[in-house]
Amino acid sequence: MKSRNRINLFQQAAESAGAVVYHCQDVNDAAAYIAEHAGGALLYAPNDSLEQLGFSPALSRSEVSLLEMTSRLDAADAVAGLTGSNYGLAETGTVVIDSTAELVRLASTLPERHFVVLDPQAILLGQQEAGQALRDLQHQQPADYLSYITGPSRTADIERVLTIGVHGPCELYILLLSAVAQPEKGVSS
Amino acid sequence: MSKTRTQQYKQDVNEALNTSRLNDALHRFGDAYLEARQRAFAELDFEQLRTDIAEMKDRVLTSRASLREQFIREARAAGATVFLAADAEEANRYITDLAKANCVRKVVKSKSMVSEEIHLNKALENAGVQAVETDLGEWIIQLANQRPSHMVMPAIHMFRDQVAELFSAETGKTESDDIKHLVDVARRQLRREYLDADMGISGANFAIADSGTFGLVTNEGNARLVTTLPKIHVALIGMEKLVPTMDDALKIIQVLPRNATGQAITSYVTWIRGAVPCGDVNKELHIVLLDNGREKLAESKTCKDALRCVRCGACANVCPVYQSVGGHVFGHTYIGAIGIILTAFYDGLDKAAELVKACIGCRACVSVCPSKIDLEEIILQLRQQVQEEEGMGLGKSLLFRKVMRNRRLFHALLRSGAKLQKPVTGGSRTIRHLPLFFSSLTEWRSLPALAPEPLRDLMPKQQQKIGRQRYRVALFGGCSSDFIYPELGLDLLKVLNHFGVEVYFPEKQNCCGIPALYSGDRETAQEMARQNVAALLEDQPDYVLTTCPTCTMSLQRDSVELLAGEPQFHAQAQQLASITYDVSRFLHDVLQVDISQLKTLPGDDGDPLKVTYHDSCHLKRGAGVWQQPRQLLQNSGHEVVEMSHADRCCGFGGSYSFTGHPDIANAILADKLNDIKHSGVQCVAMDCPGCMMQIGGGLDHAGSPVRTAHTITLLAETLE
């Protein structure tokens, strides 16, 4: 499947799972988008790839307020989180995030909004291609915590009524931005 | 002992049947589930996927010891501590000791059916540790001090007002029953618990042997918090969750969420391998691998397939018994069809005894199982074990052993029954009221009377007019066709003669054996199988035909299995199986008749007769026949109108609706009658005398003008 079709398929599936997909022109556009939608303190979980893209300076140039942390539990005060990701899965609109670094987990579990940067070139078709990708990520480290995220947190536990945002983020924003790094190096490692 | 238990269970059943709010909710859920599931699988080959999963799980079963070793080795290499727990007590002791050693005061838990199975919360409480459930449904259940009534949606039996009441008690304020608000309350209340807890406990959906990884498939995000925030993480995993590789787990992921909730994938899938960073140190990860009856299940020749289960809960979602009484009655810790089987092995046969008898045997669960488990067959085996241990009651036992095995005696009794019933029937073919203590049997449906002359006496008197003869077939009447609806055999004769087929009735045929088998009397069923194999093959027919799909299933499947250990009969049973057909499939697939040459009989209004087709459980899900009768009816000029839930059980289930659970049978029938009514037809067609008895009796009792007819009868009527 052509890369463009794959991106379209990904976007369709992600949106039908309740995510917002935004095509960023560049890192400043991404930072401005985050500033506009964060709604409060942002917990930024940096990694090499995001840094190479220039997220730190772009965020400080933008209006967003970054969360100052003195202990890990301060993460609970974040209103929004920003992480990278390693792959997308087009068939389900899933982002695959190496979440071994604890900050990535804190930024993607506690806040109400989660912004995740995805390189459109790293979108795979589906579960059949995911196996090798997951194994590649696992070979890079002695222990790991890998996450599939598809849309916001949801529940139907009361009278089967679908309700968005129970324990995890209520809003998921996927920012498509071409990376400088190779996906297997990890946009988030 | 077992009598008191049975009485108590029937009382629970009655209470549940009278809770209309629960029944309505479960019926609506069942409908929504089927639609969502169908959409989710639209572009996938479910049959292929489930075949692959079943094969993979069978390989796991064979090599479980080495896979377990591999998983443990890899997980340890990644920094996890692994403990093998033989039973609930060992698992609980390990976890409570760990909590005490680390001065844990509070534990947050994400959803784990295994922890329900071993009653971990109770053990923690006894050890002075507070356990907080964080899955919304589990938290509701915990606050209500109940147990889950569904494996995927634990609080499906509760309603918003009840939840609001529980939450109000928790927050000390009056919480409104708006669902979004209630979800917010849970988010707020539980947020503090994750941050305060010293230990997180999760379950797992897979344990991947070649990397020591385990996977969690979730929607709410609580499992991610439980496995991230506290410094200690305990993953409680049943041995059956082992899979060889990541690719095997991904295969299950393609099916599990689709089959559980109709989602292509859940919001989160989390893969954890080893001790990951937690603050400045690494997290302390403990994996508790639990046996607790699983090894015993693996060793059980007849039940081991149950270990293929991936816990999607679909077997409950489609179960008419579950929809009628809910998971607290039709389940123990685990609910639905798989729950019955697991209960027998994890909690003991005694705890499962009533449940195995409450299954109506409709095979709806088998058709949606993503691991291709023949749940009904396994439940049947367990029922037999229960009967062996507890006996089946003197009356039934005498009937099967002394009467039915002796064909002449059995048939003589049926003949005298036909004469003795006159005071009740007044000579008509329907019994509307039974006297005295039998009266409950006709409270909700009429019963057919025994025919004045059985098919076996009528058949030899028939003149067969056959043009160019194509085949000579033996008719297997089955008890209900033989003694209650002999006209079915005559209709079959008429239609088949028309198409060049000679029909004869082997006189020595006996009951197919299903009533005995389903009541747990395997020996009698074996004796019937021997008698029938000999009787039906004696005159070397080209085919053996039936008008009853239960008989078909018995001859095609059960006889072969029942006689597997008897070389002299087994080959014959296989031969018989290969030439046995129900009449609709025979007409459509073998004769490939051009039915349009039959004359069409219009309905009263001159238009084609409007017919809806009811799929009998054993015909559609036993023999895989459902298109053929519709095609035959349509081609013979009937207007076939689909009703809702056409393939849902009618609630007959043989003795289930007489002595087993007539109240549940009545509830299931009511659903069917409702669907028939809404289809707006003049006639409901089917291919099963059992269904005719149930549906026909129900329609008659309700004074409905809708006629009940066997497909072969409608076809015979179109012949001049």
Side-chain angles (χ1 to χ4, degrees):
Chain A
M1 184 183 280
K2 282 198 182 128
S3 153
R4 181 195 293 266
N5 292 346
R6 205 173 277 204
I7 295 168
N8 286 342
L9 184 62
F10 173 85
Q11 178 161 359
Q12 254 172 33
E15 285 173 352
S16 75
V20 177
V21 179
Y22 180 68
H23 296 256
C24 304
Q25 286 157 17
D26 55 26
V27 69
N28 290 324
D29 184 30
Y33 184 87
I34 293 166
E36 190 188 333
H37 294 89
L42 178 80
L43 173 53
Y44 172 42
N47 64 44
D48 291 351
S49 177
L50 293 177
E51 283 304 285
Q52 278 182 44
L53 281 162
F55 262 92
S56 278
L59 288 170
S60 40
R61 277 195 302 273
S62 76
E63 300 281 307
V64 77
S65 65
L66 291 170
L67 183 78
E68 300 285 330
M69 282 174 64
T70 50
S71 97
R72 61 193 284 269
L73 295 185
D74 291 343
D77 298 330
V79 174
L82 170 61
T83 71
S85 66
N86 304 73
Y87 297 98
L89 303 178
E91 285 173 352
T92 49
T94 302
V95 285
V96 182
I97 308 176
D98 178 358
S99 314
T100 310
E102 195 188 29
L103 207 51
V104 176
R105 273 177 281 143
L106 296 174
S108 59
T109 56
L110 284 164
E112 283 188 23
R113 289 176 199 91
H114 177 201
F115 296 89
V116 53
V117 180
L118 171 66
D119 178 355
Q121 298 311 313
I123 296 176
L124 312 172
L125 188 59
Q127 301 306 337
Q128 259 121 11
E129 292 180 37
Q132 191 54 46
L134 292 170
R135 268 192 296 274
D136 288 347
L137 289 172
Q138 289 195 324
H139 284 147
Q140 294 171 25
Q141 38 204 355
D144 38 73
Y145 190 115
L146 309 178
S147 309
Y148 275 21
I149 298 182
T150 312
S153 151
R154 69 189 59 220
T155 185
D157 272 355
I158 304 177
E159 294 188 14
R160 297 185 303 106
V161 173
L162 177 66
T163 312
I164 297 297
V166 50
H167 299 294
C170 311
E171 295 167 22
L172 177 70
Y173 296 90
I174 301 170
L175 309 179
L176 295 177
L177 182 60
S178 290
V180 281
Q182 293 299 307
E184 61 269 21
K185 287 262 169 70
V187 188
S188 76
S189 54
Chain B
M1 165 73 191
S2 74
K3 209 166 184 180
T4 332
R5 189 194 61 208
T6 303
Q7 278 166 356
Q8 178 59 48
Y9 190 72
K10 293 208 168 180
Q11 206 174 318
D12 294 345
V13 163
N14 275 322
E15 256 172 57
L17 285 171
N18 288 322
T19 316
S20 59
R21 192 152 82 141
L22 175 67
N23 304 340
D24 289 351
L26 294 178
H27 279 73
R28 278 201 307 277
F29 165 56
D31 286 355
Y33 166 76
L34 283 180
E35 275 177 40
R37 178 178 181 276
Q38 196 173 6
R39 271 199 307 276
F41 278 109
E43 285 165 28
L44 292 176
D45 184 346
F46 177 67
E47 282 307 320
Q48 186 59 51
L49 280 167
R50 73 173 181 162
T51 303
D52 292 350
I53 290 173
E55 282 171 4
M56 182 265 287
K57 286 279 191 173
D58 288 350
R59 285 199 306 277
V60 169
L61 188 76
T62 318
S63 50
R64 61 189 186 280
S66 61
L67 287 171
R68 186 169 60 220
E69 289 316 308
Q70 190 186 18
F71 175 80
I72 294 171
R73 201 167 54 238
E74 294 296 328
R76 284 183 179 151
T81 306
V82 185
F83 177 70
L84 280 173
D87 55 25
E89 201 193 326
E90 275 191 25
N92 285 331
R93 197 183 322 125
Y94 180 83
I95 297 170
T96 49
D97 284 353
L98 182 69
K100 282 189 225 160
N102 289 279
C103 305
V104 170
R105 287 155 301 127
K106 184 180 284 189
V107 165
V108 277
K109 290 179 67 203
S110 60
K111 190 165 171 305
S112 155
M113 284 305 294
V114 174
S115 82
E116 297 281 351
E117 173 190 332
I118 64 172
H119 305 289
L120 176 59
N121 289 3
K122 189 84 201 140
L124 286 167
E125 191 190 310
N126 292 343
V129 181
Q130 188 197 356
V132 180
E133 295 288 352
T134 62
D135 172 84
L136 178 57
E138 288 283 345
W139 192 50
I140 294 169
I141 295 300
Q142 188 180 32
L143 293 178
N145 201 14
Q146 294 184 4
R147 64 181 175 84
S149 76
H150 190 280
M151 294 199 292
V152 178
M153 286 156 291
I156 193 167
H157 61 286
M158 299 199 57
F159 295 86
R160 63 186 83 188
D161 51 298
Q162 297 167 317
V163 176
E165 208 172 295
L166 289 169
F167 283 12
S168 301
E170 193 61 14
T171 62
K173 291 187 297 195
T174 306
E175 306 292 353
S176 90
D177 67 358
D178 174 69
I179 290 178
K180 175 72 181 129
H181 171 74
L182 293 169
V183 170
D184 285 342
V185 170
R187 183 183 175 99
R188 257 197 332 271
Q189 290 291 117
L190 289 169
R191 188 50 56 111
R192 290 198 309 252
E193 309 286 10
Y194 300 116
L195 302 169
D196 289 351
D198 313 295
M199 180 189 275
I201 299 178
S202 74
N205 295 88
F206 328 97
I208 302 170
D210 74 352
S211 63
T213 307
F214 57 90
L216 293 159
V217 180
T218 66
N219 269 315
E220 296 187 356
N222 58 318
R224 289 164 55 76
L225 289 156
V226 161
T227 57
T228 294
L229 291 168
K231 291 201 157 58
I232 305 169
H233 172 196
V234 178
L236 184 53
I237 309 177
M239 296 284 192
E240 80 284 2
K241 298 288 166 58
L242 273 173
V243 295
T245 67
M246 177 68 83
D247 294 303
D248 296 315
L250 292 173
K251 184 134 252 172
I252 295 175
I253 289 214
Q254 287 194 283
V255 175
L256 174 58
R258 288 186 164 91
N259 220 49
T261 54
Q263 289 175 280
I265 197 162
T266 46
S267 299
Y268 306 107
V269 179
T270 304
W271 309 99
I272 299 173
R273 181 175 70 104
V276 294
C278 180
D280 302 327
V281 293
N282 278 347
K283 190 182 273 289
E284 206 178 299
L285 173 63
H286 295 260
I287 298 173
V288 177
L289 278 178
L290 181 71
D291 180 346
N292 202 35
R294 287 160 175 80
E295 197 54 35
K296 198 171 121 211
L297 183 49
E299 294 294 338
S300 160
K301 228 174 77 195
T302 48
C303 305
K304 63 179 188 316
D305 287 356
L307 283 170
R308 293 180 190 159
C309 173
V310 298
R311 304 283 187 274
C312 67
C315 52
N317 301 352
V318 299
C319 172
V321 177
Y322 171 80
Q323 285 173 5
S324 302
V325 299
H328 284 159
V329 177
F330 197 51
H332 192 64
T333 299
Y334 297 96
I335 57 102
I338 191 67
I340 296 176
I341 301 164
L342 299 184
T343 301
F345 284 86
Y346 300 170
D347 303 283
L349 194 58
D350 175 59
K351 293 273 190 301
E354 293 306 324
L355 303 174
V356 301
K357 290 188 249 177
C359 165
I360 196 170
C362 75
R363 299 181 65 79
C365 52
V366 180
S367 69
V368 296
C369 177
S371 317
K372 231 178 168 173
I373 306 169
D374 195 331
L375 296 142
E376 187 234 347
E377 172 70 28
I378 298 177
I379 290 169
L380 213 54
Q381 298 285 352
L382 290 172
R383 192 177 299 162
Q384 213 170 291
Q385 281 180 34
V386 172
Q387 304 292 23
E388 275 163 18
E389 288 188 12
E390 300 185 349
M392 71 178 84
L394 195 59
K396 249 189 185 178
S397 167
L398 273 178
L399 174 69
F400 291 139
R401 283 164 207 269
K402 301 287 180 214
V403 178
M404 291 181 85
R405 285 191 207 184
N406 183 339
R407 184 185 62 78
R408 283 175 196 285
L409 175 58
F410 176 42
H411 289 163
L413 280 174
L414 283 169
R415 284 171 201 279
S416 50
K419 294 198 179 71
L420 291 170
Q421 68 189 352
K422 283 249 168 67
V424 185
T425 61
S428 94
R429 292 286 302 275
T430 308
I431 303 174
R432 298 215 162 83
H433 303 286
L434 281 172
L436 299 170
F437 57 91
F438 292 117
S439 64
S440 67
L441 291 177
T442 48
E443 255 167 28
W444 47 276
R445 66 171 176 200
S446 319
L447 288 172
L450 291 166
E453 215 176 344
L455 182 61
R456 58 181 57 241
D457 294 353
L458 292 168
M459 276 294 285
K461 301 179 196 162
Q462 305 304 311
Q463 291 280 336
Q464 304 212 27
K465 282 171 277 169
I466 304 151
R468 199 168 60 86
Q469 183 171 337
R470 294 173 68 188
Y471 298 111
R472 184 168 166 272
V473 302
L475 173 59
F476 183 76
C479 305
S480 43
S481 222
D482 197 350
F483 290 91
I484 296 173
Y485 299 118
E487 59 271 26
L488 297 183
L490 302 182
D491 290 337
L492 178 142
L493 183 92
K494 189 172 172 191
V495 174
L496 289 186
N497 279 181
H498 182 87
F499 291 109
V501 178
E502 186 196 336
V503 185
Y504 74 97
F505 191 95
E507 204 242 329
K508 289 179 204 149
Q509 60 180 280
N510 198 344
C511 163
C512 72
I514 286 260
L517 187 65
Y518 278 27
S519 301
D521 183 354
R522 191 176 166 85
E523 269 178 45
T524 296
Q526 275 169 327
E527 174 54 25
M528 308 286 209
R530 279 182 220 114
Q531 291 180 17
N532 285 325
V533 164
L536 294 171
L537 294 179
E538 193 179 12
D539 285 331
Q540 299 173 337
D542 296 320
Y543 292 95
V544 173
L545 300 189
T546 74
T547 50
C548 168
T550 304
C551 298
T552 312
M553 204 165 84
S554 172
L555 299 179
Q556 276 183 345
R557 185 190 77 171
D558 299 334
S559 296
V560 177
E561 194 268 322
L562 285 166
L563 301 176
E566 302 174 39
Q568 71 275 31
F569 281 108
H570 190 231
Q572 282 182 292
Q574 283 175 315
Q575 193 206 335
L576 173 61
S578 70
I579 58 168
T580 299
Y581 282 78
D582 70 274
V583 67
S584 281
R585 181 164 166 224
F586 180 74
L587 283 167
H588 188 276
D589 294 2
V590 179
L591 289 186
Q592 301 184 354
V593 296
D594 178 10
I595 212 94
S596 58
Q597 62 173 277
L598 303 184
K599 194 188 77 179
T600 303
L601 278 191
D604 295 340
D605 49 7
D607 291 331
L609 188 69
K610 261 195 189 174
V611 178
T612 195
Y613 188 77
H614 162 73
D615 289 289
S616 303
C617 299
H618 288 164
L619 190 64
K620 182 168 185 191
R621 292 179 287 270
V625 173
W626 52 283
Q627 288 162 313
Q628 294 90 332
R630 285 177 170 79
Q631 207 73 57
L632 292 169
L633 288 169
Q634 204 138 27
N635 292 351
S636 58
H638 300 89
E639 182 187 345
V640 179
V641 179
E642 282 298 319
M643 64 173 141
S644 304
H645 319 105
D647 66 354
R648 194 174 189 264
C649 180
C650 66
F652 180 64
S655 64
Y656 189 95
S657 63
F658 291 96
T659 53
H661 286 286
D663 297 324
I664 299 177
N666 180 17
I668 297 173
L669 173 64
D671 293 333
K672 180 59 71 180
L673 297 183
N674 196 34
D675 285 329
I676 293 171
K677 186 175 162 197
H678 283 102
S679 68
V681 296
Q682 294 141 307
C683 175
V684 52
M686 59 205 74
D687 277 61
C688 170
C691 299
M692 284 172 66
M693 231 181 272
Q694 174 85 342
I695 293 175
L699 288 170
D700 181 73
H701 189 267
S704 164
V706 177
R707 174 187 170 205
T708 306
H710 196 288
T711 301
I712 195 69
T713 301
L714 293 178
L715 295 180
E717 284 173 5
T718 61
L719 292 174
E720 286 168 298

